Amino acid sequence: MNRDLYIDFAKGMATLSIIFIHTAFWSGQFYIPAEVRVFSLVFDVALFYALSGITSGSNIEKTFYRLLKLQITYMIFVTFLFFLDYFFKVFGLTFFSMEWLQNFYSTFGSKYAATSVSDIPQWQNLGNWFLHQYTNADTFPVVMGSFWYLKVYFILAVFGVLILRFFPKHVNWFTGLCLALTLIFNIFPEYYPGGQVGYVAFYLAIFLIANRMRGKKIPAKVIPVLYAIVAAALICMFWYYGNDIFYKINKNKFPPKIPYIIWSLFSLTTLFVLYNRLKITKENFVTYIGKNAIFFYFAQGISSSLVYFIVVTLQEDIPWWMLMILIYIINVILAFIIAFGLKKVDDMGWKILEFLRKKTTS
């Protein structure tokens, strides 16, 4: 079966959009206008959940094996990150001083200032990362700030495959249940549950809807109607909440509330409209990113942390829009280089695990 390059292309574009979002919302908080930061959320993380739904099936063994491989790859990465963060602190304390390190970390802003710099490894942090409790990595704060996606993905992938396997005739009912719960949580915000419930309710609905779209093509005559519905929803949102809601879209993302849900409709509609319509016939730079999306997702957390230091140096000397373009290009290049390196680290990690397996079974 030939690989659908549109899926790789869409994943690549979504990954590039995530890099732009993190360029705008992290280091961009120092110089990018709020309006631009909000517009960066047009193509957001919901696309990844939709693409997962399109590519997922009802094979539990295959899904669990894929999730297990992802968990091991994730553990290899955070182990590498842990030692990278630790050795940098040891380097700073050995050759410079605690004050130098604190000044270094202050570049990220007071919200992410390191509070427990030590030459003693904080092993509990590594253990928490393994279990998807994303305590901050002082040297690379963007990494853990973007990992909430991964925990939600693991949860909804398990629920999704169980529904597709054991309730194939009732997928629409489960989709309706998820949408109804999302609506109830928003109508009665005092009952909006903490933890992952709100995230999974909404994103699982996207996952299941996307799975229903698998192999299908939206008729051309329906497309204007869909975009008209999206436009009407946006107009109603601004009419009901007021124009100030535009600046609160990101606050309504964690967890997803109605303004953010409406905001994400345009990107999801565009994804489904182009599915089985836009033909990608040759592999390219974007499809390469899509094929290796998880490594680029890991890498952009590191690169988005590094560009802080370029922003601090140049923000007073360059117009904000030129600096934004420059930082984004640098961020993409750094992410590409780091992703290539992380693939090598991942290969080495798997070889070490295979070596240990052979030694312990012989």
Side-chain angles (χ1 to χ4, degrees):
M1 183 177 179
N2 294 330
R3 188 180 181 97
D4 188 351
L5 290 181
Y6 171 75
I7 300 298
D8 290 331
F9 182 81
K11 284 184 180 179
M13 292 300 296
T15 302
L16 289 171
S17 180
I18 293 297
I19 295 175
F20 181 64
I21 290 171
H22 290 167
T23 300
F25 271 94
W26 289 81
S27 59
Q29 65 183 304
F30 296 138
Y31 68 99
I32 296 178
E35 294 83 357
V36 178
R37 296 204 303 273
V38 174
F39 270 116
S40 71
L41 294 171
V42 171
F43 295 94
D44 202 3
V45 72
L47 294 175
F48 284 107
Y49 296 119
L51 289 165
S52 296
I54 292 175
T55 56
S56 294
S58 59
N59 189 320
I60 291 181
E61 293 80 7
K62 183 178 179 180
T63 299
F64 278 29
Y65 179 71
R66 176 168 52 82
L67 293 177
L68 178 60
K69 285 186 64 179
L70 176 58
Q71 172 66 14
I72 294 173
T73 291
Y74 162 77
M75 292 172 71
I76 292 171
F77 168 68
V78 296
T79 301
F80 171 74
L81 183 76
F82 175 81
F83 284 107
L84 203 62
D85 177 67
Y86 170 66
F87 288 135
F88 178 79
K89 291 175 179 176
V90 171
F91 169 82
L93 291 173
T94 302
F95 294 98
F96 296 96
S97 65
M98 176 68 76
E99 183 181 0
W100 180 87
L101 273 177
Q102 292 291 1
N103 288 334
F104 177 90
Y105 290 130
S106 68
T107 304
F108 302 121
S110 59
K111 184 178 179 181
Y112 300 100
T115 57
S116 58
V117 177
S118 172
D119 58 358
I120 300 174
Q122 305 295 308
W123 296 109
Q124 69 274 15
N125 287 339
L126 181 60
N128 286 331
W129 293 350
F130 282 169
L131 300 175
H132 295 275
Q133 181 178 339
Y134 308 122
T135 51
N136 191 42
D138 293 327
T139 312
F140 308 102
V142 183
V143 176
M144 294 303 161
S146 59
F147 264 175
W148 67 269
Y149 155 81
L150 202 58
K151 182 190 292 187
V152 175
Y153 171 74
F154 273 106
I155 297 170
L156 73 84
V158 171
F159 276 100
V161 72
L162 292 176
I163 292 171
L164 295 176
R165 177 65 177 270
F166 296 109
F167 305 97
K169 295 182 179 180
H170 300 89
V171 173
N172 292 341
W173 284 98
F174 280 98
T175 304
L177 175 63
C178 290
L179 292 175
L181 286 173
T182 302
L183 185 62
I184 291 171
F185 296 157
N186 279 274
I187 294 175
F188 305 102
E190 64 273 19
Y191 298 117
Y192 206 121
Q196 311 306 315
V197 178
Y199 293 92
V200 174
F202 172 58
Y203 292 121
L204 181 57
I206 292 177
F207 178 95
L208 295 174
I209 291 170
N211 186 263
R212 282 303 201 201
M213 285 294 301
R214 187 175 184 177
K216 298 177 182 177
K217 181 179 179 180
I218 295 179
K221 61 183 179 181
V222 177
I223 295 175
V225 177
L226 292 176
Y227 280 112
I229 293 173
V230 172
L234 286 168
I235 292 171
C236 291
M237 180 185 75
F238 285 112
W239 174 79
Y240 181 80
Y241 291 100
N243 292 335
D244 288 345
I245 193 63
F246 174 79
Y247 298 98
K248 300 176 182 177
I249 295 297
N250 192 52
K251 291 183 178 179
N252 283 271
K253 178 181 175 180
F254 303 106
K257 298 184 178 66
I258 285 179
Y260 174 75
I261 292 170
I262 293 175
W263 191 255
S264 66
L265 290 179
F266 175 78
S267 62
L268 291 170
T269 301
T270 302
L271 174 70
F272 293 138
V273 164
L274 295 178
Y275 177 54
N276 281 330
R277 178 170 278 105
L278 176 63
K279 301 298 182 182
I280 307 296
T281 57
K282 295 182 179 180
E283 295 189 7
N284 52 55
F285 174 75
V286 178
T287 60
Y288 175 81
I289 294 175
K291 281 185 177 180
N292 299 281
I294 190 60
F295 293 107
F296 276 89
Y297 203 90
F298 292 164
Q300 61 79 33
I302 298 177
S303 63
S304 295
S305 300
L306 294 177
V307 296
Y308 265 90
F309 300 95
I310 304 175
V311 168
V312 170
T313 304
L314 299 178
Q315 63 177 328
E316 300 295 336
D317 303 318
I318 301 178
W320 71 265
W321 60 272
M322 290 181 61
L323 182 59
M324 179 183 71
I325 295 172
L326 176 64
I327 294 298
Y328 178 63
I329 293 173
I330 293 174
N331 206 351
V332 171
I333 294 172
L334 285 175
F336 195 94
I337 296 170
I338 295 170
F340 180 81
L342 290 179
K343 286 190 69 176
K344 298 296 184 182
V345 171
D346 184 62
D347 290 340
M348 183 175 65
W350 280 97
K351 288 178 181 178
I352 292 172
L353 291 174
E354 179 63 18
F355 171 79
L356 294 174
R357 185 191 69 81
K358 289 180 179 179
K359 287 296 183 181
T360 55
T361 56
S362 59

